[in-house]
Amino acid sequence: MALAWEYARGDAVDLDFVTAWDWFDRAASSGQENGVLHRARFLQLRGVPEGVRELRKLAVKGNWNAQFWLATHYQSRDGRLDQLRAAVWYDRSYNNGFRGGKLAKLAQLRRTAHQPFKTVFAVKLTFEAISFFLQIFRHEQQIKFHEVLLYRLGKRTS
């Protein structure tokens, strides 16, 4: 899949959508959900309706990547209903394990809300963002503490 994305983006190799499609199709044909997911994303980014249908199938099964990418698809469309669908899919991606989905949902609700609710969602988004980054910081501090502890334990047994 990494090679397929390289051909799709044209970063390390020449841009070639046909070759990218071939690699994505091979990955999806292997039967792995991740291969189907990335093929669907590739198609969705190219504006092919089949990509959105595949993303929706995976999203309904609970794949948080598919839910998040489906939300970004709805967010890019016009219309209030699509904007609210985006918020729902962002929330589902959060509930299925993607911590950033909560921030994306609140940002989406802030964009689509009418005043005075924009302010309410902006404040909630700010608090959630601070909480999110503090959790990441605490997690990194715990990892550093455990690395030091493991190093010290390793020195004692040597």
PDB file of all heavy atoms in Angstrom, residues 1-9 12-13 23-24 27 38:
ATOM      1  N   MET A   1       0.820  -1.192   0.000  1.00  0.00           N
ATOM      2  CA  MET A   1       0.000   0.000   0.000  1.00  0.00           C
ATOM      3  C   MET A   1       0.862   1.254   0.000  1.00  0.00           C
ATOM      4  O   MET A   1       0.465   2.254  -0.576  1.00  0.00           O
ATOM      5  CB  MET A   1      -0.943  -0.020   1.187  1.00  0.00           C
ATOM      6  CG  MET A   1      -2.111  -0.944   0.971  1.00  0.00           C
ATOM      7  SD  MET A   1      -3.327  -0.894   2.258  1.00  0.00           S
ATOM      8  CE  MET A   1      -2.396  -1.463   3.650  1.00  0.00           C
ATOM      9  N   ALA A   2       2.016   1.170   0.665  1.00  0.00           N
ATOM     10  CA  ALA A   2       2.910   2.331   0.679  1.00  0.00           C
ATOM     11  C   ALA A   2       3.345   2.679  -0.744  1.00  0.00           C
ATOM     12  O   ALA A   2       3.394   3.857  -1.120  1.00  0.00           O
ATOM     13  CB  ALA A   2       4.124   2.056   1.561  1.00  0.00           C
ATOM     14  N   LEU A   3       3.648   1.659  -1.543  1.00  0.00           N
ATOM     15  CA  LEU A   3       4.033   1.892  -2.932  1.00  0.00           C
ATOM     16  C   LEU A   3       2.872   2.486  -3.723  1.00  0.00           C
ATOM     17  O   LEU A   3       3.059   3.403  -4.541  1.00  0.00           O
ATOM     18  CB  LEU A   3       4.507   0.584  -3.570  1.00  0.00           C
ATOM     19  CG  LEU A   3       5.042   0.663  -4.993  1.00  0.00           C
ATOM     20  CD1 LEU A   3       6.221   1.631  -5.066  1.00  0.00           C
ATOM     21  CD2 LEU A   3       5.459  -0.723  -5.477  1.00  0.00           C
ATOM     22  N   ALA A   4       1.678   2.008  -3.473  1.00  0.00           N
ATOM     23  CA  ALA A   4       0.495   2.540  -4.156  1.00  0.00           C
ATOM     24  C   ALA A   4       0.323   4.028  -3.851  1.00  0.00           C
ATOM     25  O   ALA A   4       0.065   4.833  -4.759  1.00  0.00           O
ATOM     26  CB  ALA A   4      -0.745   1.760  -3.731  1.00  0.00           C
ATOM     27  N   TRP A   5       0.495   4.405  -2.583  1.00  0.00           N
ATOM     28  CA  TRP A   5       0.355   5.816  -2.222  1.00  0.00           C
ATOM     29  C   TRP A   5       1.474   6.660  -2.840  1.00  0.00           C
ATOM     30  O   TRP A   5       1.269   7.819  -3.189  1.00  0.00           O
ATOM     31  CB  TRP A   5       0.302   5.997  -0.704  1.00  0.00           C
ATOM     32  CG  TRP A   5      -1.045   5.690  -0.146  1.00  0.00           C
ATOM     33  CD1 TRP A   5      -1.369   4.685   0.708  1.00  0.00           C
ATOM     34  CD2 TRP A   5      -2.273   6.387  -0.417  1.00  0.00           C
ATOM     35  NE1 TRP A   5      -2.718   4.704   0.981  1.00  0.00           N
ATOM     36  CE2 TRP A   5      -3.295   5.744   0.309  1.00  0.00           C
ATOM     37  CE3 TRP A   5      -2.613   7.480  -1.207  1.00  0.00           C
ATOM     38  CZ2 TRP A   5      -4.628   6.161   0.279  1.00  0.00           C
ATOM     39  CZ3 TRP A   5      -3.945   7.892  -1.250  1.00  0.00           C
ATOM     40  CH2 TRP A   5      -4.925   7.244  -0.520  1.00  0.00           C
ATOM     41  N   GLU A   6       2.663   6.083  -2.978  1.00  0.00           N
ATOM     42  CA  GLU A   6       3.757   6.815  -3.629  1.00  0.00           C
ATOM     43  C   GLU A   6       3.380   7.145  -5.072  1.00  0.00           C
ATOM     44  O   GLU A   6       3.603   8.252  -5.552  1.00  0.00           O
ATOM     45  CB  GLU A   6       5.057   6.019  -3.587  1.00  0.00           C
ATOM     46  CG  GLU A   6       5.696   5.938  -2.215  1.00  0.00           C
ATOM     47  CD  GLU A   6       6.090   7.296  -1.654  1.00  0.00           C
ATOM     48  OE1 GLU A   6       6.484   8.198  -2.423  1.00  0.00           O
ATOM     49  OE2 GLU A   6       6.008   7.456  -0.422  1.00  0.00           O
ATOM     50  N   TYR A   7       2.828   6.165  -5.784  1.00  0.00           N
ATOM     51  CA  TYR A   7       2.379   6.416  -7.164  1.00  0.00           C
ATOM     52  C   TYR A   7       1.201   7.390  -7.196  1.00  0.00           C
ATOM     53  O   TYR A   7       1.094   8.215  -8.100  1.00  0.00           O
ATOM     54  CB  TYR A   7       1.988   5.109  -7.860  1.00  0.00           C
ATOM     55  CG  TYR A   7       3.163   4.343  -8.405  1.00  0.00           C
ATOM     56  CD1 TYR A   7       3.564   3.144  -7.824  1.00  0.00           C
ATOM     57  CD2 TYR A   7       3.885   4.814  -9.502  1.00  0.00           C
ATOM     58  CE1 TYR A   7       4.655   2.444  -8.314  1.00  0.00           C
ATOM     59  CE2 TYR A   7       4.974   4.116  -9.998  1.00  0.00           C
ATOM     60  CZ  TYR A   7       5.349   2.936  -9.405  1.00  0.00           C
ATOM     61  OH  TYR A   7       6.423   2.250  -9.890  1.00  0.00           O
ATOM     62  N   ALA A   8       0.328   7.313  -6.212  1.00  0.00           N
ATOM     63  CA  ALA A   8      -0.834   8.202  -6.171  1.00  0.00           C
ATOM     64  C   ALA A   8      -0.441   9.648  -5.888  1.00  0.00           C
ATOM     65  O   ALA A   8      -1.055  10.584  -6.407  1.00  0.00           O
ATOM     66  CB  ALA A   8      -1.826   7.716  -5.122  1.00  0.00           C
ATOM     67  N   ARG A   9       0.587   9.844  -5.060  1.00  0.00           N
ATOM     68  CA  ARG A   9       1.036  11.204  -4.713  1.00  0.00           C
ATOM     69  C   ARG A   9       2.103  11.724  -5.659  1.00  0.00           C
ATOM     70  O   ARG A   9       2.248  12.924  -5.826  1.00  0.00           O
ATOM     71  CB  ARG A   9       1.565  11.221  -3.282  1.00  0.00           C
ATOM     72  CG  ARG A   9       0.504  11.146  -2.222  1.00  0.00           C
ATOM     73  CD  ARG A   9       1.081  11.410  -0.855  1.00  0.00           C
ATOM     74  NE  ARG A   9       2.150  10.498  -0.509  1.00  0.00           N
ATOM     75  CZ  ARG A   9       2.007   9.419   0.244  1.00  0.00           C
ATOM     76  NH1 ARG A   9       0.842   9.124   0.745  1.00  0.00           N
ATOM     77  NH2 ARG A   9       3.025   8.642   0.523  1.00  0.00           N
ATOM     78  N   ALA A  12       8.002  10.091  -4.464  1.00  0.00           N
ATOM     79  CA  ALA A  12       9.278   9.404  -4.707  1.00  0.00           C
ATOM     80  C   ALA A  12       9.362   8.833  -6.122  1.00  0.00           C
ATOM     81  O   ALA A  12      10.452   8.558  -6.609  1.00  0.00           O
ATOM     82  CB  ALA A  12       9.476   8.289  -3.688  1.00  0.00           C
ATOM     83  N   VAL A  13       8.221   8.638  -6.744  1.00  0.00           N
ATOM     84  CA  VAL A  13       8.155   8.106  -8.114  1.00  0.00           C
ATOM     85  C   VAL A  13       7.259   9.030  -8.932  1.00  0.00           C
ATOM     86  O   VAL A  13       6.583   9.891  -8.388  1.00  0.00           O
ATOM     87  CB  VAL A  13       7.591   6.663  -8.141  1.00  0.00           C
ATOM     88  CG1 VAL A  13       8.516   5.689  -7.427  1.00  0.00           C
ATOM     89  CG2 VAL A  13       6.209   6.600  -7.539  1.00  0.00           C
ATOM     90  N   TRP A  23      -1.845  -1.344  -7.666  1.00  0.00           N
ATOM     91  CA  TRP A  23      -1.325  -1.749  -6.361  1.00  0.00           C
ATOM     92  C   TRP A  23      -2.419  -1.737  -5.293  1.00  0.00           C
ATOM     93  O   TRP A  23      -2.478  -2.618  -4.440  1.00  0.00           O
ATOM     94  CB  TRP A  23      -0.145  -0.875  -5.949  1.00  0.00           C
ATOM     95  CG  TRP A  23       1.113  -1.260  -6.659  1.00  0.00           C
ATOM     96  CD1 TRP A  23       1.751  -0.585  -7.643  1.00  0.00           C
ATOM     97  CD2 TRP A  23       1.883  -2.449  -6.444  1.00  0.00           C
ATOM     98  NE1 TRP A  23       2.859  -1.257  -8.065  1.00  0.00           N
ATOM     99  CE2 TRP A  23       2.971  -2.418  -7.339  1.00  0.00           C
ATOM    100  CE3 TRP A  23       1.763  -3.530  -5.587  1.00  0.00           C
ATOM    101  CZ2 TRP A  23       3.922  -3.419  -7.394  1.00  0.00           C
ATOM    102  CZ3 TRP A  23       2.715  -4.532  -5.646  1.00  0.00           C
ATOM    103  CH2 TRP A  23       3.776  -4.471  -6.540  1.00  0.00           C
ATOM    104  N   PHE A  24      -3.285  -0.731  -5.320  1.00  0.00           N
ATOM    105  CA  PHE A  24      -4.394  -0.700  -4.361  1.00  0.00           C
ATOM    106  C   PHE A  24      -5.323  -1.891  -4.568  1.00  0.00           C
ATOM    107  O   PHE A  24      -5.785  -2.508  -3.618  1.00  0.00           O
ATOM    108  CB  PHE A  24      -5.196   0.597  -4.480  1.00  0.00           C
ATOM    109  CG  PHE A  24      -4.565   1.768  -3.791  1.00  0.00           C
ATOM    110  CD1 PHE A  24      -4.221   2.898  -4.518  1.00  0.00           C
ATOM    111  CD2 PHE A  24      -4.325   1.759  -2.428  1.00  0.00           C
ATOM    112  CE1 PHE A  24      -3.640   3.991  -3.893  1.00  0.00           C
ATOM    113  CE2 PHE A  24      -3.743   2.843  -1.794  1.00  0.00           C
ATOM    114  CZ  PHE A  24      -3.405   3.960  -2.530  1.00  0.00           C
ATOM    115  N   ALA A  27      -3.787  -5.024  -3.164  1.00  0.00           N
ATOM    116  CA  ALA A  27      -3.887  -5.045  -1.698  1.00  0.00           C
ATOM    117  C   ALA A  27      -5.308  -5.404  -1.259  1.00  0.00           C
ATOM    118  O   ALA A  27      -5.498  -6.196  -0.335  1.00  0.00           O
ATOM    119  CB  ALA A  27      -3.481  -3.699  -1.119  1.00  0.00           C
ATOM    120  N   HIS A  38      -7.817   1.292   2.081  1.00  0.00           N
ATOM    121  CA  HIS A  38      -6.980   2.234   1.342  1.00  0.00           C
ATOM    122  C   HIS A  38      -7.413   2.357  -0.120  1.00  0.00           C
ATOM    123  O   HIS A  38      -7.329   3.437  -0.706  1.00  0.00           O
ATOM    124  CB  HIS A  38      -5.507   1.852   1.473  1.00  0.00           C
ATOM    125  CG  HIS A  38      -4.947   2.238   2.798  1.00  0.00           C
ATOM    126  ND1 HIS A  38      -4.354   3.448   3.039  1.00  0.00           N
ATOM    127  CD2 HIS A  38      -4.926   1.581   3.989  1.00  0.00           C
ATOM    128  CE1 HIS A  38      -3.980   3.520   4.297  1.00  0.00           C
ATOM    129  NE2 HIS A  38      -4.316   2.385   4.899  1.00  0.00           N
TER     130      HIS A  38
END
